[in-house]
DNA sequence: ATTACATGTAATTAAAATAGTTACATGTAA
DNA sequence: TTACATGTAACTATTTTAATTACATGTAAT
């Protein structure tokens, strides 16, 4: 199964907040770009806020980034929106048969392998910042 | 969400077929080590067979590996059991707003980033063989 | 203070995937 | 023909996602 699109939407939101920094990025504004329900966006805003990526206040319209674009990696967003738990990209069947040499060892043998695969994937996310994303969009729009 | 445990179970099955190569690895035998239903194992056996990793025949008890252990990577198993589709480890929201500069570009901008993260993860799987798994279990069992 | 409007959040829903279970058709060998 | 294995379909419960509705809470302007 695929990793939730919350991650892609989180990147979308943060990118748009940046490009709209002269304006007001309310949940309604953001939702109309993502093409979803404002409540979905507000839930994501809550997660991004909890992770310290944006500043939002009840009653006050609009979200602002709390850091420079170049200081926010895709990994930060990935962690913020909670799409994959630490060490749990892959799931391992529980309760294999302890009376079998394979059954009683398979979990311990496989786990570190799965973890390194997950870490390799996350390393790529750590090496991309939202600045890269915004620049790429700017290029595609012939803004620069 | 996590990647299906079919992957871990697939590794378990293949490892056990190898370590039990003197005996008969029927779906019932395998299921008792995995601790699940024989029909679940048979479905996985079908997938592993379709990918050419094992040989199984209707009516004849037991599965056999078709290759050397060192010629089967975790990536082969991962592909066989169909847990993640190509380029689809991460899902991207569809139909963002084309009237917004971010909406109309975000998918194309994000996709290659997601793909490289997926490939990095898969590269780790390509570099581990079932021989590594079996050796690790042997070590833990003090077999060698 | 009241109004208008935003965020915060809970409850509900439909769709999709997982993992297990049962049942039975099909295939093979003794 | 019998015994037993694989192949496969149908059904279930559980979980997650994503969308939706509704409303409480918070803020600012009139």
């Amino acid at each position: 199964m695929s990793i939730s699109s919350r991650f892609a939407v989180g990147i979308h939101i943060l990118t748009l907040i940046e490009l709209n920094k002269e304006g007001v990025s309310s949940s309604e504004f953001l939702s109309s770009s993502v093409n979803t329900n404002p409540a979905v966006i507000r839930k994501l805003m809550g997660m991004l806020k909890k992770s310290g990526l944006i500043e939002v206040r009840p009653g006050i319209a609009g979200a602002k980034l709390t850091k420079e674009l170049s200081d926010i990696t895709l990994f930060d967003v990935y962690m913020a929106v909670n799409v994959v738990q630490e060490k749990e990209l892959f799931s391992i069947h529980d309760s294999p048969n302890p009376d079998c040499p394979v059954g009683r060892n398979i979990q311990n043998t496989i786990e570190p392998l799965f973890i390194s695969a997950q870490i390799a994937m996350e390393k790529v996310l750590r090496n991309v910042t939202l600045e890269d994303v915004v620049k790429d969009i700017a290029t595609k729009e012939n803004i620069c």
Side-chain angles (χ1 to χ4, degrees), chain A:
Chain A
M1 203 197 193
S2 291
I3 291 170
S4 166
S5 67
R6 279 203 305 278
F7 183 25
V9 174
I11 298 170
H12 185 146
I13 288 175
L14 294 169
T15 302
L16 185 50
I17 291 172
E18 169 70 16
L19 289 174
N20 183 47
K21 64 180 152 189
E22 310 297 320
V24 176
S25 296
S26 65
S27 64
E28 176 137 9
F29 169 77
L30 296 170
S31 74
S32 88
S33 173
V34 172
N35 192 23
T36 185
N37 194 289
V40 170
I41 299 296
R42 287 200 290 275
K43 194 167 182 194
L44 277 170
M45 286 165 78
M47 290 174 150
L48 296 169
K49 176 185 182 180
K50 194 173 169 190
S51 295
L53 300 181
I54 64 175
E55 200 175 309
V56 206
R57 292 164 66 182
I60 302 180
K64 302 273 179 205
L65 299 185
T66 57
K67 306 182 185 182
E68 290 303 310
L69 270 190
S70 55
D71 285 339
I72 305 179
T73 70
L74 294 196
F75 182 75
D76 295 329
V77 185
Y78 164 93
M79 290 300 285
V81 298
N82 221 31
V83 282
V84 174
Q85 304 311 305
E86 192 182 355
K87 302 185 179 181
E88 292 184 8
L89 174 59
F90 297 91
S91 53
I92 301 182
H93 53 301
D94 45 21
S95 55
N97 189 343
D99 296 332
C100 168
V102 176
R104 65 171 163 264
N105 289 297
I106 195 73
Q107 294 169 314
N108 283 337
T109 295
I110 284 179
E111 196 189 23
L113 302 172
F114 283 0
I115 292 176
S116 18
Q118 176 172 354
I119 288 175
M121 178 274 279
E122 291 171 349
K123 188 176 175 186
V124 173
L125 301 182
R126 286 181 200 269
N127 284 326
V128 181
T129 70
L130 286 183
E131 188 179 27
D132 301 324
V133 173
V134 167
K135 281 185 174 167
D136 189 66
I137 289 180
T139 302
K140 285 174 172 147
E141 285 285 317
N142 292 318
I143 292 176
C144 61

